[in-house]
């Protein structure tokens, strides 16, 4: 299960890639695949980790929601100077502000935080009212509805009544990749995989060892993978056990499935963009099977202990990289290095990624020192 923790930082760096286009000055086609196809796995991965460790009790859920709320409030304050500098709050109406606060995020990457809070609450309520299959059905239908307002918009909006429906949706959220149409399905997929992992685990010694490990209370980025499911199920098999245990698919089968579905999603993305169908491109029809294959593959990789600070660094990279983009541009302007650090996409991405990791390490050390 350590591979889930290891993958957090690459996922955060993929989000950074979306906002910096690392290959745009090298090959627009390669950059398109990197930022509009491959990098679209990052946020669903974070949702699925949160779903995998979704609390069973409302008290634990409320504790997670409270931490996320304070993290979102801190992020809003952190990006307020950039909001003011860009004039984004000038003349804003109360309705537009609430739209940003609850759905769009007050800065372009912060939409994730209200989305995961809303999605976790919705899935928790559905789980109390329906069996897991029912939760998957409801959230899957929501995802399909959201798909029609995202990459498939140009086709789906032609259906009778669809245009009016999406106009109503866009009146309270600029996109359908939000806490209603996007987050719940991947949270549910993560929850389903935690149940499936428990079902396929048949080594009681592994179960005892894993369930005795400490569990983090934050299920978004910093939840430790060294824990049993908070739903009371058995934990996932470890890497060695997964290779030979129970009814699990072989590791190679998961890798092959991931390659096939990623190829299918690539073809889907190219086709939809060539048709001019995309209103946005966060959601694809083949994205769920890609994510299930990827997550299952990660859960079955051989275990290697992950540094405890890595999830928190990944969180910091996700939250801080837009500020680092501004700082890199400012530094390049002051030093006359725009041609290298701004106009050349690869050095620009490398500087932003390195700066984000550096600030993330500083932030984690500062917080650790304050706690001590």
């Amino acid at each position: 299960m350590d591979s889930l923790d290891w993958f957090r930082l690459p996922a955060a760096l993929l989000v950074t890639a979306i906002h910096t286009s690392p290959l745009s000055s090298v090959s627009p086609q390669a950059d398109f695949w990197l930022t509009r196809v491959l990098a679209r796995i990052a946020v669903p991965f974070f949702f699925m980790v949160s779903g995998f460790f979704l609390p069973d009790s409302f008290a634990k859920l409320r504790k997670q929601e409270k931490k996320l709320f304070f993290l979102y409030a801190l992020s809003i304050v952190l990006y307020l100077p950039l909001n003011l500098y860009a004039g984004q709050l000038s003349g804003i109406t109360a309705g537009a502000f609430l739209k940003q606060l609850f759905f769009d995020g007050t800065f372009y990457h912060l939409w994730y935080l209200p989305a995961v809070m809303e999605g976790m609450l919705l899935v928790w309520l559905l789980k109390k009212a329906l069996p897991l299959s029912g939760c998957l059905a409801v959230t899957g239908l929501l995802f399909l509805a959201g798909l029609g307002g995202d990459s498939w918009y140009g086709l789906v909006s032609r259906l009778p009544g669809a245009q009016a429906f999406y106009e109503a949706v866009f009146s309270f959220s600029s996109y359908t990749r939000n806490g209603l149409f996007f987050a719940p399905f991947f949270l549910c997929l993560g929850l389903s995989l935690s149940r499936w992992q428990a079902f396929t685990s048949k080594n009681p010694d592994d179960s005892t060892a894993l369930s005795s490990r400490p569990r983090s209370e934050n299920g978004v980025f910093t939840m430790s993978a060294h824990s049993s499911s908070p739903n009371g199920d058995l934990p996932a098999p470890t890497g060695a056990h997964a290779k030979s245990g129970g009814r699990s698919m072989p590791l190679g089968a998961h890798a092959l499935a991931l390659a096939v579905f990623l190829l299918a999603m690539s073809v889907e993305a190219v086709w939809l963009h060539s048709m001019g169908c995309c209103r946005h491109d966060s959601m694809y029809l083949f994205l769920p099977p890609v994510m299930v294959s990827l997550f299952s593959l990660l859960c079955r990789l051989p275990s290697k202990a992950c540094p405890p600070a890595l999830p928190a660094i990944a969180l910091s990279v996700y939250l801080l990289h837009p500020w680092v983009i501004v700082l890199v541009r400012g530094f390049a302007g002051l030093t006359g290095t725009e041609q290298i650090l701004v106009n050349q996409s690869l050095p620009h991405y490398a500087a932003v990624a390195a700066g984000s990791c550096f600030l993330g390490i500083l932030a984690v050390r500062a917080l650790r020192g304050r706690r001590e």
Side-chain angles (χ1 to χ4, degrees):
M1 299 299 293
D2 292 272
S3 53
L4 294 180
D5 283 336
W6 280 109
F7 194 73
R8 297 171 201 260
L9 184 57
L13 292 174
L14 283 175
V15 175
T16 306
I18 294 173
H19 300 142
T20 54
S21 296
L23 301 178
S24 58
S25 62
V26 179
S27 169
Q29 293 79 13
D31 188 74
F32 170 83
W33 185 80
L34 173 64
T35 60
R36 301 300 171 220
V37 181
L38 182 63
R40 292 309 185 188
I41 68 175
V43 171
F45 168 76
F46 290 133
F47 284 138
M48 290 180 71
V49 171
S50 299
F52 197 90
F53 297 103
L54 186 71
D56 189 54
S57 70
F58 184 73
K60 291 180 180 179
L61 178 68
R62 183 173 58 186
K63 195 170 186 178
Q64 285 194 14
E65 295 276 5
K66 183 178 179 181
K67 288 187 175 183
L68 287 167
F69 173 80
F70 283 113
L71 182 62
Y72 188 32
L74 177 64
S75 300
I76 290 173
V77 174
L78 181 65
Y79 282 94
L80 187 58
L82 293 185
N83 292 130
L84 295 173
Y85 177 77
Q88 295 173 345
L89 301 180
S90 178
I92 190 172
T93 64
F97 176 74
L98 291 175
K99 182 179 180 180
Q100 288 186 1
L101 186 66
F102 288 103
F103 290 98
D104 296 351
T106 59
F107 210 70
Y108 58 79
H109 69 310
L110 296 182
W111 68 271
Y112 173 86
L113 293 171
V116 75
M117 285 189 282
E118 295 155 4
M120 286 173 64
L121 179 59
L122 177 59
V123 171
W124 190 89
L125 292 172
L126 287 173
K127 188 165 68 77
K128 292 301 176 183
L130 299 171
L132 188 53
S133 58
C135 295
L136 280 170
V138 172
T139 56
L141 289 174
L142 288 172
F143 176 81
L144 290 176
L147 190 70
D150 194 90
S151 59
W152 285 74
Y153 179 75
L155 296 176
V156 176
S157 61
R158 300 174 186 175
L159 299 176
Q163 186 70 37
F165 170 75
Y166 289 114
E167 285 180 2
V169 170
F170 297 139
S171 68
F172 64 83
S173 177
S174 297
Y175 306 98
T176 52
R177 56 104 171 95
N178 54 35
L180 178 61
F181 297 104
F182 189 28
F185 187 45
F186 290 102
L187 287 162
C188 244
L189 287 176
L191 176 62
S192 301
L193 285 174
S194 74
R195 300 288 179 85
W196 177 250
Q197 293 282 57
F199 176 72
T200 57
S201 177
K202 56 177 194 176
N203 186 336
D205 295 332
D206 288 348
S207 302
T208 303
L210 285 175
S211 61
S212 66
R213 295 175 181 175
R215 180 188 305 149
S216 172
E217 295 174 345
N218 187 340
V220 185
F221 291 103
T222 57
M223 166 67 80
S224 172
H226 300 301
S227 64
S228 61
S229 169
N231 302 293
D233 296 325
L234 291 173
T238 57
H241 177 63
K243 291 180 179 179
S244 60
R247 293 159 288 271
S248 300
M249 290 172 58
L251 192 66
H254 287 288
L256 178 60
L258 174 60
V260 169
F261 287 128
L262 187 58
L263 175 61
M265 191 172 83
S266 302
V267 172
E268 177 189 5
V270 171
W271 178 67
L272 289 172
H273 277 273
S274 67
M275 294 279 290
C277 294
C278 300
R279 188 179 186 275
H280 195 52
D281 50 16
S282 292
M283 305 169 70
Y284 295 110
L285 188 62
F286 280 99
L287 182 57
V290 165
M291 294 312 305
V292 170
S293 302
L294 172 64
F295 207 89
S296 300
L297 177 64
L298 290 173
C299 287
R300 285 162 175 79
L301 288 176
S303 181
K304 182 180 180 181
C306 178
L310 189 62
I313 293 172
L315 168 62
S316 301
V317 169
Y318 182 92
L319 292 179
L320 296 176
H321 76 270
W323 252 118
V324 178
I325 292 173
V326 174
L327 294 176
V328 167
R329 290 179 175 273
F331 175 81
L334 290 175
T335 58
T337 55
E338 296 99 329
Q339 182 59 33
I340 298 175
L341 292 180
V342 177
N343 297 338
Q344 296 297 316
S345 59
L346 269 176
H348 176 64
Y349 172 73
V352 172
S356 300
C357 291
F358 177 72
L359 288 183
I361 293 171
L362 291 182
V364 170
R365 287 184 175 179
L367 289 173
R368 181 177 296 173
R370 184 178 178 183
R371 288 173 182 171
E372 293 175 353

